[in-house]
Structures are given as C-alpha cells and as structure tokens.
Amino acid sequence: MSSPLRLAILGCGTVGSEVVRLLHEQSADLAARIGAPLEIAGIAVRRLGRDRGDLPVAPELFTTDAVGLVKSDDVDVVVEVVGGIEPARSWLVDALRAGKSVVTANKALLAEDGASLHDAAADGGADLYYEAAVAGAIPLLRPLRESLHGDRINRVTGIVNGTTNFILSAMDATGAGFAEALEEATELGYAEADPTADVEGFDAAAKAAILASLAFHTRVGAADVHREGITEVTAADMASAKAMGCTIKLLCIAARGTDAAGRESVSVRVHPAMIPLSHPLASVGDAYNAVFVEAEAAGPLMFYGRGAGGAATASAVLGDVVAVCRNRLAGVRAPSESAYADLAVRPMGEALTRYHVSLDVADKPGVLAAVAGVFARHDVSIATVRQAPAGTEPAGRGADAVLVIVTHTAPDAALAATVEDLRGLDAVRSIASVLRVEGGE
Ligand code: NDP
Ligand code: HSE
C-alpha cells in the first residue's frame, strides 16, 4: 500500500456531505481499490457554524479558506462540490495548473468555461474528471469519453433534468397544469425554492453542452445551446399529446448534420417535445434521468438512473476520485480533452424538427385548403392531419372544429414561420397548441 493520498473537499452541502460520509464508510474498500488510503486534508465551506448533523469528520478539518486549502502542498486531489462560476473556476484552474487532479460536479462552470479548465489541466499535466456533472449517478460521461471513442456518435437525446421530468410526469399522470405540478414538486423537495434553473432549461442546457462536447469532439458552450423551458407547457398540450399516443418530455438533443453550406456541423437544443409512448424515453418517469445515444457501429444505447440526490451524485464523484487516484499512483493521466473535430454549431433555425400544431378553426369550405397552402408556401410537408368536431378535443373550446396537423421533418425556421402565418389566416380562430415532435420518423 502506498502512502496516503490527500483530498481537499470544496463544499459540504447536499453532495459534499455524502462524499464525506461515503469516504468514511467505504475507506477500506476505496484504499484497496486505489492501492493507497485516502485522507481528507480539509473541507472548505461558507459557514463554519452550520449544523452538519453527525458527519463522521473532525470539526477542525472545516475551513473557510478554500484558496489556502487548494494551494496547500499537502493536497493531491481537489474535489469541488460548491457550484457556480466564481470562485470555483479560479480554485480549479489554480489546482490544475499546479498539477493537482480535479474532480468536479459543476456543470454550470464546465458549460460556461470548460475551455479554461481543460487548458489548465493540459498546462499542469493533471486529470479533470466530472462524471457527476451530467445525469448524477448515471455512468455516462466515461462511456462517451472512453468506451465509445472507437465509434462515431450521431445523436444524443436525453432527459437530464429530474425536476422538470417530475413535473411533466405529474402533469401527464393527473392532468394538472404546470403551476400545480410545480407546487407538488416543491413540496416533495424535488424543486428548489427558486426553480428557474430547472424549469427554464438552464440546467439541462449546461448538461447538453457537456454531452455535445464529448459526443462530437467539439467545444460546445452553454451559449451555443438553444434553450426553452417547460413553463409554457399547458394541461391542454399534455392532453393533445395523449390524444396522439404521446407524452411530453423536456429533451436535450445534440445531433450531427450538415449546415446550409453542406458542411458537417452539430445542433444542440433543449426544449419540450412530444414523444410517442413507444419511444424508450417516454417511460422515464418521476425525477429519473435517461440518455439515449445513437452511435454508428454500436447502434442505440440507453443510460438510465438517478440524475440527482446527495448519495447518488456522490457515487459518481467517488468513482472519479478512485480513477484520478489510480492515475496518480501509476504516474499517468487520463486522455486529455478531445476537441479536434471543431465542428460548427448550427443555429436553431437550421435544426431539423417536426411540429404538432392544433388549430381552432371555422368549419367551412376552403379552410383545410387555406391551412395546407400555408404549409406548402414554407416547403413544409404535412405527415398527418385530423379534423375533430369542436368539444371533442382538449383544445377545441369555442371552435367549430379542431385541426390537428403533424408535419414531416423540416428546418425549425420554416416551421416557426408557418405557425406565424397560420396566426394571420381568417379561418384560424386560435392556435391551441404548438409542440415539437421527436421520435417516430
Ligand atoms: P449545496 O448548495 O447543497 O452545497 C454547496 C456547498 O458549497 C455548501 O457546503 C456551501 O457551504 C459551500 N460553499 C458555497 N459557497 C462557498 C464559498 N464561497 N466558499 C466555500 N464553500 C462554499 O450544493 P449541492 O451539493 O447541491 O451541489 C454542489 C454541486 O454539485 C453543484 O455544482 C451542483 O450543480 C452539482 N450537482 C448537484 C446535484 C444534486 O443533486 N444536488 C446533482 C448533480 C450535480 P455551507 O455549507 O457553509 O453553506
Ligand atoms: N436540479 C437538477 C435536476 C439536479 O433537477 O435534475 C442537479 O443536476
């Protein structure tokens, strides 16, 4: 057994406290797997006086001096579970440049400025691991960054935010509206007091950027991701989806394709979408996460599990700790960032999507022709059209009839322009529901 490896733990909240607990409970197994015991050099927190229950750790290990802890010669590995951009970025860049291995769960920082961390890791010859940053406990980034490096990934489609998946699952199960389902999620502790990052899609967009970077060997940042949250999803939208044999999920989608000039590029987006109940992601309920990867040789792969929670996330953090410690003892480091492909990120307007549009219309001759003409003008092909008498459809109150149209795939800009023009048609009284559709074509 080698001499102990020393860990600086930055943050001791939901995730950090479980990291500390598991380090204690699993210490013998972890030492055996690594070949050296692990010791905690210090734990940086914001409030020294905070009640931390019965954490199995000496009180003198807590400090508010994160900078001093990171810089200490006595530290081999820095585990960052604080979150946010600064001061986390400065701590981690300093640690990596000094050759210390870093394990972080900080998706916001990786998506905002992963480049600084990867560059610092390269400068310092240090390991940067972040399995917990996307989909919590699910082993997903290691497969993308290592196991699938012999293959070519074409598309990644995921449910990567547990809070919104809980809300949408509740809306599907009970017919509740968004506000009511959010209230339930808050009461049960799934949604935070300020749910903005989750319900507006910021959390999922950060994860989408990280997934796209790994899948396509290209630096993709949060600003490159088209983002729409779930606050506008209504009970009527969910009922429309159910009437079509579908449900609605907040999806992160990263896909290869070609841009307008025919060059290979990627599109990365987060938005609610209807998916058929037969799609593997449709049955992912409650706060679970799942990611569906489509690779050229491997075919479809599905990763499923808990995307959040202290212990579940700590499992991924500790897996990374074991990996970086083994590397240190072996005198090697993991393969560095792979961004050689450097593909352009296509704007949302060029992403290929399908729409489901539900229209309240007058029931008289020429209406269907006028509506179809708008689709044709924008070169959007209609896949199915269904007319139902008013009152028989969830969205049809006040209409003579409801037209439910699902398109074939088209550039998102053409679909959006179609919807805009439909609003101007005399025969269209209102547009009851517009949703993108994924899967099934
Ligand atoms: P918490 O808010 O529960 O904990 C944050 C911790 O950081 C607290 O211990 C806090 O100290 C400490 N802290 C905050 N600011 C400072 C500072 N300036 N200096 C030193 N310490 C500081 O966060 P979580 O544990 O939920 O999340 C941590 C990270 O893990 C985030 O990046 C998050 O995105 C990521 N993550 C979280 C998941 C989850 O389920 N919670 C799932 C996947 C990833 P104090 O205790 O004194 O307040
Ligand atoms: N807030 C996130 C979620 C967990 O609801 O999935 C942290 O990634």
Side-chain angles (χ1 to χ4, degrees), residues 11-15 44-47 50 52 81-83 91 105-107 132 308-309 313:
C12 192
T14 306
V15 180
V45 293
R46 192 173 30 190
R47 296 164 288 175
R50 182 178 175 186
R52 298 182 195 277
V81 278
V82 169
W91 299 333
N106 193 335
K107 64 236 158 186
T313 308

Side-chain angles (χ1 to χ4, degrees), residues 124 172 311 358:
D172 187 3
S358 184

Side-chain angles (χ1 to χ4, degrees), residues 198-216:
D198 292 321
V199 300
E200 295 291 0
F202 290 101
D203 176 77
K207 293 165 177 168
I210 296 169
L211 289 175
S213 301
L214 292 172
F216 303 125

Side-chain angles (χ1 to χ4, degrees), residues 315-384:
S315 161
V317 170
L318 283 180
D320 281 355
V321 167
V322 170
V324 301
C325 287
R326 282 179 177 153
N327 287 350
R328 285 190 89 80
L329 289 183
V332 297
R333 59 177 294 238
S336 49
E337 181 196 21
S338 176
Y340 71 92
D342 198 21
L343 299 175
V345 181
R346 285 201 303 284
M348 183 60 187
E350 291 180 23
L352 296 179
T353 61
R354 295 166 64 208
Y355 274 26
H356 163 281
V357 186
S358 184
L359 307 170
D360 295 352
V361 295
D363 193 2
K364 60 182 188 190
V367 169
L368 191 54
V371 167
V374 173
F375 282 83
R377 267 206 303 285
H378 291 282
D379 205 20
V380 172
S381 175
I382 292 172
T384 62

